[in-house]
Amino acid sequence: NEVYWRRLRGALANLDGVDTLWLFDAKGNGIAGTGRQMDRPLNIADRPHFHAIMAGAEFVISPALRSRMDDRILFTISRPIRDWTGEIIGVASAGMKTEWLVDFYALMSFGLDTAITIFRTDGEIVARNPDLSSHVGRNDRDGHLFRDQLPQSPVVVYWSRSTLDGKERLAAYRLIPDLNLVVHAGIEGQSAFAAWRTRSLWFIAEVGIATTLVLLVLLWGARMIRRENHVRMRVLEAENAARQLDAELHQARRDPLTGLPARGLFLELAERMHVNAGKRGSVLAFLYIDLDGFKAVNDRHGHHRGDDVLTMVAGIMRKMIRDGDLIGRVGGDEFVICLSGYD
């Protein structure tokens, strides 16, 4: 749909680091997106992040994966799409550039051999620099970081031998529990204690600070999305409740049998007519109508016949009055007509 595509393109232009935006239905079929080769069908029903959202997760960051549209490497941030009842009817998924998380660290590497890896807390790799393509789909849950370090502390600087490439590095990591991510930065040992030792240590500190800032921005964005969804649901609930209350109030102020204004509504409308009559210099006349012998109809033929009589009388009165006049049922067999005119 061209309209949806343009809206998604507009949203994409305002999101830093986002490469594609897609909307999927509850079966995982792509229904609108900004990805390349949109003429090809796309289904993500077998993706773990899709299963997690459909199982009730509100926010899922996937590990690095290869796009089925053009084989690019990316990771996704996904959230559910719910209808007004709260039922999940689809998934909104943003395809994120992996280099968005790691490239800026290269600007602070000072020529050192630096490796940056972002893991999920289950050990899956979300982004890495360098050589992410060789590690897509790998899991480091059995490595030293997840087996020994993380259980002891969420933030540590230590000597590490990577299970991904076997190199020994002076490393620092930080656990981000709200996003279920672990950011790991390492400098090879020979570089760490070369002529730029002091600068290298500053680099580690800057990486930690910059990492925290970037992930705080991610966390803020995720919370804003959840807050926006919560506010939207509250607004819809309030509108529905207001409409229902208005309908119930309107129905309660009218006679359910004849549909005419009941006593309270009739008096309110008559008061408005009185105010308007005063402004125009006109007068009001009230006709009080009581049905003689109505009780006998109920006694002889039953209340359902009595109801038929009241409905018929109300219909006759509607046809007889003029536009601008008012008729109401104020008792069992009692009606009042308010007529406006001039002396």
Side-chain angles (χ1 to χ4, degrees), residues 13-26:
N14 296 318
L15 296 175
D16 190 20
V18 180
D19 190 53
T20 60
L21 280 175
W22 277 89
L23 302 179
F24 299 92
D25 63 20

Side-chain angles (χ1 to χ4, degrees), residues 212-223:
T212 301
L213 291 176
V214 169
L215 291 173
L216 284 175
V217 171
L218 280 174
L219 179 59
W220 176 83
R223 288 180 175 175

Side-chain angles (χ1 to χ4, degrees), residues 222-242:
R223 288 180 175 175
M224 288 299 295
I225 290 174
R226 290 197 292 268
R227 182 178 299 175
E228 180 183 353
N229 289 337
H230 180 71
V231 170
R232 187 181 296 113
M233 290 297 296
R234 290 297 186 187
V235 169
L236 289 175
E237 290 173 359
E239 290 177 349
N240 291 335

Side-chain angles (χ1 to χ4, degrees), residues 114-173:
T114 306
I116 306 293
T117 308
I118 291 90
F119 297 95
R120 301 199 320 173
T121 51
D122 61 2
E124 298 280 356
I125 298 175
V126 175
R128 177 179 167 82
N129 182 33
D131 196 24
L132 174 61
S133 60
S134 299
H135 305 293
V136 173
R138 293 188 62 176
N139 192 302
D140 195 43
R141 71 170 64 92
D142 296 325
H144 182 59
L145 170 63
F146 289 87
R147 187 184 65 245
D148 302 321
Q149 295 295 332
L150 271 175
Q152 298 180 26
S153 174
V155 181
V156 166
V157 176
Y158 70 112
W159 281 103
S160 166
R161 182 173 296 278
S162 173
T163 59
L164 301 177
D165 56 20
K167 294 182 178 180
E168 187 176 31
R169 296 181 175 90
L170 178 63
Y173 70 84

Side-chain angles (χ1 to χ4, degrees), residues 45-271:
D46 61 332
R47 293 289 199 187
H49 62 272
F50 178 80
H51 291 166
I53 292 294
M54 296 306 293
E58 292 295 329
F59 182 79
V60 175
I61 298 177
S62 79
L65 50 81
R66 292 189 181 275
S67 169
R68 290 174 175 169
M69 303 302 292
D70 52 15
D71 205 41
R72 287 171 303 133
I73 300 176
L74 47 81
F75 69 96
T76 63
I77 298 177
S78 303
R79 65 177 183 83
I81 302 173
R82 301 178 184 271
D83 63 13
W84 68 273
T85 67
E87 181 179 358
I88 298 176
I89 60 174
V91 175
S93 185
M96 307 293 296
K97 302 173 183 177
T98 57
E99 59 268 27
W100 177 67
L101 285 181
V102 295
D103 269 5
F104 79 95
Y105 294 109
L107 300 176
M108 298 181 290
S109 64
F110 309 113
L112 301 175
D113 187 5
T114 306
I116 306 293
T117 308
I118 291 90
F119 297 95
R120 301 199 320 173
T121 51
D122 61 2
E124 298 280 356
I125 298 175
V126 175
R128 177 179 167 82
N129 182 33
D131 196 24
L132 174 61
S133 60
S134 299
H135 305 293
V136 173
R138 293 188 62 176
N139 192 302
D140 195 43
R141 71 170 64 92
D142 296 325
H144 182 59
L145 170 63
F146 289 87
R147 187 184 65 245
D148 302 321
Q149 295 295 332
L150 271 175
Q152 298 180 26
S153 174
V155 181
V156 166
V157 176
Y158 70 112
W159 281 103
S160 166
R161 182 173 296 278
S162 173
T163 59
L164 301 177
D165 56 20
K167 294 182 178 180
E168 187 176 31
R169 296 181 175 90
L170 178 63
Y173 70 84
R174 175 178 292 273
L175 172 66
I176 312 297
D178 290 334
L179 295 177
N180 291 323
L181 294 178
V182 178
V183 180
H184 185 278
I187 304 173
E188 286 195 31
Q190 293 181 353
S191 299
F193 292 99
W196 301 283
R197 172 182 297 180
T198 301
R199 186 178 296 178
S200 300
L201 294 176
W202 274 109
F203 166 74
I204 293 293
E206 290 172 358
V207 165
I209 294 172
T211 298
T212 301
L213 291 176
V214 169
L215 291 173
L216 284 175
V217 171
L218 280 174
L219 179 59
W220 176 83
R223 288 180 175 175
M224 288 299 295
I225 290 174
R226 290 197 292 268
R227 182 178 299 175
E228 180 183 353
N229 289 337
H230 180 71
V231 170
R232 187 181 296 113
M233 290 297 296
R234 290 297 186 187
V235 169
L236 289 175
E237 290 173 359
E239 290 177 349
N240 291 335
R243 283 195 293 268
Q244 182 178 353
L245 180 61
D246 182 67
E248 292 175 352
L249 181 61
H250 179 76
Q251 184 64 29
R253 302 183 71 191
R254 286 188 174 271
D255 174 36
L257 178 62
T258 64
L260 297 175
R263 180 186 297 272
L265 181 57
F266 177 84
L267 293 176
E268 180 181 320
L269 297 176
E271 177 62 26

